[in-house]
Amino acid sequence: MALYRGALALSNAGANPLKPCREFRLLLLFLGETTEHLHGELIRSSIDDADIHYTALSYAWGDPSNSGVIVLNGGYEMSITRNLEAALRQFRSRTECTRLWVDAICINQADDDEKGRHVAMMRSFYLSVSSTWVWLGTSNAGSDSAMDIAQSFLSEDFTDDDFWLIKRESWRGVTDLLRRSWWTRIWVIQEVLSSRQIHVWCGSKRIDFECFVKLIQTSLGLDISVARRQPFLNILNNWTRIRNHVSNGGASLLQLIASTQNFESTLRCDKIYALLAISSEDTRAAIIPDYSYRTTDSLLCTRVTAHLLMQWRCLLPLHLRFYRKADDLTLPSWVPDLLTLPAEYNRPLFSRKYNACGPYWSMTPRFLPEFTHPSSCLEDASLILKGVVVDQVDIVEPMPEIPTYTGPDIDEYLKSLKFRRELVRSTCGGWLTIVNAYFLNKHTDAPAEHSLHHTAFWRTIIADRLYKATGPPGPESSQHFQDWQADMDSKEATDFRDAAVLHCACKSFILTDAGRLGLALSTARTGDLVCLLHGGNMPFMLRCEDKRNGCYRFVGDAYVHGIMQGEASEKLGGDEVQEFELV
C-alpha cells in the first residue's frame, strides 16, 4: 500500500477538485478502537447545505517530520502529523462515524487556488459548524487537574475562597497547559472567534472554552512569563469586547495586525490571511487570499497598507512603520513589514493621543492619498501625500539596542528587564547632558533643572504621557524625573521609569534646527525633515531622495515637543503646502 502526502493523497482518494463556489470536503471518520488504524472517507458538502452537521477541529499542526497515517476512501494512505493523529484517535467514536472538518486533510494543500477560496469563506464556514473542538494535545501528569481547575472557574458556586485554596502545584499545571503551542498559532484566533460553540480538549478531558476566558480574566496565580509568551491570553482577557466586534460586522484589520505580531504561522502571508475572516466586510472584499506566485509577500504588505490608508481616511496605518524590515522583502519606504518581525521590534511609536495636525488630521476628498500605480500592481508604487516641512533634524542620539529575553525562565526575564531599565536610565542621563550643552548659550542663567529646555526634555522622553495615562503629567513630574535619575525607589519615580522605558526603547533622541526636542525611530538621521502631513495626528519624518523630482523616503512618526497639539497646524492651510512623493 503506497503512502501519499497532501494533494497526491486527495487525488488518489477520489477527491476531485472542488467547484469554485462554496463547496468543501468533510472527513467522515470511521468508528474504531483507540489503538486501531485511522480510516475515513472524504465527502463533499456546501456551506449552503443547512441539513449537514459537522465539527471543526482547531489544533496546532506540529512537526511535519514526525508523521502518522490515515487511510482514506478504501485504501489510500495520507501522511498526517502525530499531533493530528492523536486528536483523531481521541475523537473517533466506537459506535458511529464522526463528521469532521480538518484543514490538513480536507483542503488540497498543494492547490493554491483551492486554499485561497477556503480562506476567503472561513467566516461563513465557522458560522455554520455545529461546534469547534480545540485540541491542546495529549494529557500529561498535571494536565487533568489543570483542566479541572479551569472548569471550576465556570461554576456559579466558585468563590474567592475557592481560588486561594488552589495549591501552587496545581497552578503550575495550569501554567504548563497555557504554554502549549495551540495558544501561539495565528489561525486559531479566527477559528474560535467565529465559532458559536467551542470545547477544549486535552487528552480525554473536555471543557467549555469559556472556562479559560474566566480563568485568564481572574489572572491571579499565573506565572507572568506565560502572559508574555502566549499572545492569545490578551485576547482571552478582552474576549467579550473582541467577539462583539467580530459579531457586529468584523474587527478592524489595522487593530488586529497591531495586536497579533507575536503569533506564529508557517507561511508569512498567513499573518494577514488568518485575520480576514474576522475583519470587516470591505476588508474581505479588498484583500483576496492568493497563495500563488502572483502575490509576493512584498506585494501583499503594499496592498494591505494601501487598503488601510483608504479605509481609515487618515495616516494612522503609517504608525505601523516599524524600525526593521525583513531583508528579503522589497518594500516601498512607506510600507511596513506586516509579516515577519515580533512585537518587541515592531511596537508603533505612538498612538492616537496627539493632534499635531489640528483640524487637518482627517483626510477630505481633496487630500486623499494617491498611488502611482493601480492597485493590481502596487509592489513598486509611490504614495503621494500633501503637507508642509516644519523643521529639520540637527542632532541624532540613538538608544543602544536592548536585547529582549523571550524564553520561559522568569529569572532570566527579570534580569533582562532590569538591564533594559538601567540602560534607558543611563542613556537618558547622557541625552540630558547633550541638551544642557546645546542650550548653554541660548538660555538665561537659571538652574538647569528649572529651565525651559529641562522641562521639554523630561516631557519628551516620556512623550508627555506617564504610563497608561491619557493626558500630560503635571509639573510635579519634574521631581519624579530627578528621583528616577537618582535611582530612588518611589511609586512616582517607578511610574516615570516605566513611561521612559516604553517610549525610549529602540528610539533615537533628536534635536532640530529650531531647537525642538523629540523622539524618533532609531533609523532617523541628521538632515531628515520634520513634516506635518494631511491626515496625520503626529509629525512624520521624511528623507529627501531626489529633490529635483520631489521624491522622499518615509522614515516614520516622531514625538516633537511643542508641536504635538496643533501649534504648527496653521501651515497646513497656507501656501507652504506641497506634494511629497514617498518612494
Side-chain angles (χ1 to χ4, degrees), residues 88-238:
L88 295 179
R89 288 185 182 279
Q90 179 61 53
F91 300 149
R92 178 171 54 183
S93 171
R94 296 181 179 181
T95 58
E96 60 182 354
C97 294
T98 305
R99 279 197 179 101
L100 297 171
W101 184 81
V102 186
D103 56 358
I105 296 175
C106 299
I107 299 176
N108 187 343
Q109 298 296 326
D111 187 333
D112 291 334
D113 290 337
E114 182 176 313
K115 283 198 297 183
R117 290 197 302 272
H118 271 77
V119 172
M121 64 182 185
M122 280 294 184
R123 184 183 182 88
S124 299
F125 178 82
Y126 276 97
L127 287 172
S128 67
V129 300
S130 303
S131 63
T132 296
W133 287 347
V134 171
W135 173 250
L136 295 182
T138 55
S139 60
N140 59 24
S143 63
D144 283 356
S145 61
M147 292 285 279
D148 289 339
I149 289 173
Q151 188 170 31
S152 68
F153 277 79
L154 208 57
S155 170
E156 293 182 359
D157 299 326
F158 189 83
T159 65
D160 290 344
D161 291 337
D162 295 322
F163 178 89
W164 293 111
L165 288 174
I166 299 173
K167 295 181 179 179
R168 185 176 182 85
E169 297 77 29
S170 300
W171 275 121
R172 191 172 295 117
V174 174
T175 297
D176 292 340
L177 203 63
L178 293 170
R179 283 193 176 124
R180 298 206 177 199
S181 60
W182 182 87
W183 303 99
T184 69
R185 308 302 297 177
I186 196 163
W187 278 107
V188 306
I189 302 172
Q190 54 100 10
E191 290 169 359
V192 294
L193 282 172
S194 300
S195 300
R196 292 191 177 94
Q197 187 176 45
I198 315 161
H199 294 102
V200 181
W201 293 74
C202 183
S204 60
K205 285 276 187 179
R206 185 179 85 165
I207 63 175
D208 194 287
F209 188 82
E210 193 70 23
C211 297
F212 284 96
V213 177
K214 296 290 185 182
L215 185 152
I216 295 304
Q217 291 177 352
T218 302
S219 76
L220 292 173
L222 290 179
D223 188 331
I224 61 171
S225 65
V226 178
R228 293 188 303 104
R229 297 183 65 243
Q230 303 298 48
F232 201 99
L233 302 195
N234 186 55
I235 293 177
L236 291 176
N237 201 38
N238 297 280

Side-chain angles (χ1 to χ4, degrees), residues 445-465:
D445 294 330
E449 62 269 21
H450 297 301
S451 65
L452 293 175
H453 71 263
H454 182 272
T455 300
F457 179 79
W458 68 256
R459 288 190 181 276
T460 294
I461 62 173
I462 61 171
D464 210 18
R465 296 293 188 276

Side-chain angles (χ1 to χ4, degrees), residues 221-388:
L222 290 179
D223 188 331
I224 61 171
S225 65
V226 178
R228 293 188 303 104
R229 297 183 65 243
Q230 303 298 48
F232 201 99
L233 302 195
N234 186 55
I235 293 177
L236 291 176
N237 201 38
N238 297 280
W239 180 254
T240 301
R241 177 178 59 82
I242 297 172
R243 192 153 184 171
N244 285 340
H245 280 310
V246 173
S247 300
N248 297 324
S252 159
L253 181 61
L254 177 62
Q255 294 170 332
L256 289 172
I257 291 171
S259 61
T260 58
Q261 287 296 309
N262 273 345
F263 282 85
E264 299 172 358
S265 64
T266 302
L267 299 176
R268 288 193 305 195
C269 59
D270 285 340
K271 296 293 286 288
I272 299 296
Y273 293 156
L275 303 175
L276 294 180
I278 52 177
S279 299
S280 60
E281 185 176 353
D282 61 331
T283 292
R284 297 195 301 273
I287 310 299
I288 307 301
D290 183 359
Y291 288 92
S292 73
Y293 68 92
R294 296 184 297 270
T295 300
T296 65
D297 288 346
S298 297
L299 179 56
L300 176 61
C301 286
T302 307
R303 284 180 174 172
V304 170
T305 305
H307 164 70
L308 293 175
L309 286 168
M310 299 302 292
Q311 181 185 54
W312 281 76
R313 299 177 73 90
C314 70
L315 300 185
L316 188 61
L318 295 190
H319 294 292
L320 289 175
R321 165 60 168 91
F322 309 134
Y323 90 108
R324 289 184 178 178
K325 298 185 182 184
D327 293 338
D328 62 331
L329 290 179
T330 305
L331 298 171
S333 66
W334 54 275
V335 176
D337 176 356
L338 303 173
L339 310 176
T340 307
L341 297 170
E344 283 78 10
Y345 298 103
N346 288 359
R347 186 182 294 114
L349 184 56
F350 302 107
S351 64
R352 290 188 293 171
K353 50 194 176 187
Y354 306 102
N355 190 25
C357 291
Y360 301 97
W361 72 269
S362 180
M363 290 181 175
T364 63
R366 179 185 173 192
F367 292 107
L368 283 175
E370 301 175 19
F371 305 96
T372 55
H373 301 299
S375 59
S376 60
C377 52
L378 270 172
E379 192 155 9
D380 298 319
S382 298
L383 171 65
I384 300 174
L385 298 173
K386 296 179 177 66
V388 292

